[in-house]
Amino acid sequence: MYRHLLWMMLFLTIAATALPGGQAVRAAPGYDIEVVKTGLDRPWSINFAPDERLFFTARNSGRLYALNITTGAVQTFSGLPPAGFRAEQEAGMLGMELDPDFAVNKWAYICYSYTDSGNRRNRLSRFTVNPATGVVSGEQILIDNMVGALYHNGCRVVLSPDHQYLFVSMGDASNPSLAQNLDSTGGKTFRIFKNGDIPTDNPFYDNGRLPRSLIWTYGHRNHQGLAFHPTTGELWSTEHGPDIMDELNVLTVGDDNGRRYGHNYDWGWGSGPRYCLGTVNCDGVPDFMPPVAVFNTDSTVATSDMVFYTGSAFPEWFGDLFFVTLKTGRLYRLKIDNRTIVEQEILIDNQYGRLRDVTVGPDGFIYISTDETNATLLRIRPTLERPYRVQLPLVMRGE
């Protein structure tokens, strides 16, 4: 009778967890989605520091914060926002990258929006961030006077795997023609050394002439995700389409009989409102590089940041690409073979609203920030052991 009751309890427990309409306890088999922290000041860029705290920029207030994942304590740094800072619509305190030697040099690279004599601009600077004193100081401007607008300010920042170069994205500032103009900062990816010097092997280098000497790739509408593939070392990006065809791209340079050039990713070519998108209306685009994929041909998902998974918590996902979306509130997982998507999964599908950024923590878990004034930090981790598990008695049988 005792054994019968145990089996009945086990059956009922399993059945209850499978009932439709119940509380979701797993994002996918073996994984949970957890709320780590609520009430955050609209994070735009989230990055883990060597002390395992999550640093994040606040788009609207222009501040920098550090969140202790374990205790929930938040440190607010003084010294920001900088003079002339502007926060309006999509503009504000945006992309951030912490230096690999942050524990020693305390450098943070931040791209932000500002106003100069009434003109909207964007800027990439290096700041010194002192966790002990809670002060940000010592701004060194690396790229200045990038075009700005209410919308399409780009400003994602990423460091190359060899830790030598900074890459920064800049949107078209709501003027598509700028993306095809090598004498404009609009619609470009830039590449510089960490101290702001310009590499002479940049594809459009012209004796330091600005901005073309900075340019790595061009023809972008508003690419807000940048990440390096952990195996190939190639730089990938997510880019907003107008009302259809958000793009996933590989940002590369080419060589044509000794002519080195940055690829053209099509935006601003042709006539509006959609111009060249994907491979549609793209005849004659010079140095054209088509996207790896588009999301989708009849709608936009509004892609934001991305990351390649290199943690240890989910070994089966190593090298997979994760990106988040704003309009549809999704977290995508893509398995990549060379430059081909061989598997796609949506782990979050608008349960938490707009999603802005995604990163991998030192614990190997995946962290996602929502895009709202009082934002939420989410975490995907392996499924925890459940308290309802029933241990059946071991029955020994003799000969």
Side-chain angles (χ1 to χ4, degrees), residues 132-246:
T133 63
V135 176
V136 177
S137 61
E139 179 177 8
Q140 178 183 341
I141 297 174
L142 303 180
I143 303 178
D144 206 5
N145 292 313
M146 293 183 285
V147 294
L150 294 177
Y151 305 97
H152 303 182
N153 294 284
C155 256
R156 185 64 65 183
V157 185
V158 68
L159 194 64
S160 62
D162 61 8
H163 301 165
Q164 290 192 63
Y165 305 102
L166 283 169
F167 290 78
V168 60
S169 68
M170 185 50 48
D172 70 357
S174 301
N175 186 345
S177 65
L178 299 183
Q180 293 295 321
N181 182 357
L182 296 179
D183 291 317
S184 170
T185 56
K188 309 297 189 300
T189 311
F190 300 120
R191 173 184 181 246
I192 60 172
F193 288 112
K194 292 196 299 181
N195 65 358
D197 289 346
I198 304 173
T200 57
D201 63 345
N202 275 357
F204 300 103
Y205 186 82
D206 183 10
N207 296 315
R209 177 184 170 191
L210 298 177
R212 62 175 56 222
S213 293
L214 299 166
I215 297 172
W216 184 253
T217 60
Y218 68 110
H220 299 289
R221 184 173 182 270
N222 192 28
H223 46 325
Q224 291 188 333
L226 294 176
F228 282 92
H229 192 285
T231 303
T232 68
E234 292 181 322
L235 179 60
W236 289 58
S237 80
T238 50
E239 180 168 339
H240 288 280
D243 55 351
I244 61 173
M245 293 191 183
D246 299 307

Side-chain angles (χ1 to χ4, degrees), residues 217-355:
T217 60
Y218 68 110
H220 299 289
R221 184 173 182 270
N222 192 28
H223 46 325
Q224 291 188 333
L226 294 176
F228 282 92
H229 192 285
T231 303
T232 68
E234 292 181 322
L235 179 60
W236 289 58
S237 80
T238 50
E239 180 168 339
H240 288 280
D243 55 351
I244 61 173
M245 293 191 183
D246 299 307
E247 293 184 353
L248 178 65
N249 289 304
V250 179
L251 306 185
T252 64
V253 299
D255 189 285
D256 183 12
N257 294 321
R259 181 183 72 89
R260 185 172 164 86
Y261 61 90
H263 279 114
N264 184 349
Y265 292 80
D266 67 46
W267 181 248
W269 179 266
S271 58
R274 289 178 174 168
Y275 300 90
C276 165
L277 282 176
T279 57
V280 181
N281 302 320
C282 299
D283 292 344
V285 176
D287 303 328
F288 180 48
M289 175 64 82
V292 172
V294 296
F295 303 85
N296 293 308
T297 58
D298 59 351
S299 63
T300 175
V301 298
T303 54
S304 191
D305 198 24
M306 60 182 290
V307 68
F308 284 98
Y309 184 77
T310 56
S312 59
F314 308 120
E316 62 271 47
W317 284 350
F318 187 89
D320 288 0
L321 186 159
F322 291 79
F323 73 86
V324 290
T325 70
L326 295 161
K327 181 179 178 180
T328 53
R330 291 175 177 171
L331 172 66
Y332 283 79
R333 180 186 66 85
L334 307 179
K335 189 169 290 294
I336 307 292
D337 182 8
N338 194 9
R339 296 181 183 176
T340 301
I341 298 172
V342 297
E343 183 178 325
Q344 175 177 304
E345 180 181 11
I346 298 175
L347 296 182
I348 298 176
D349 195 4
N350 208 29
Q351 300 99 310
Y352 303 96
R354 292 162 58 90
L355 305 181

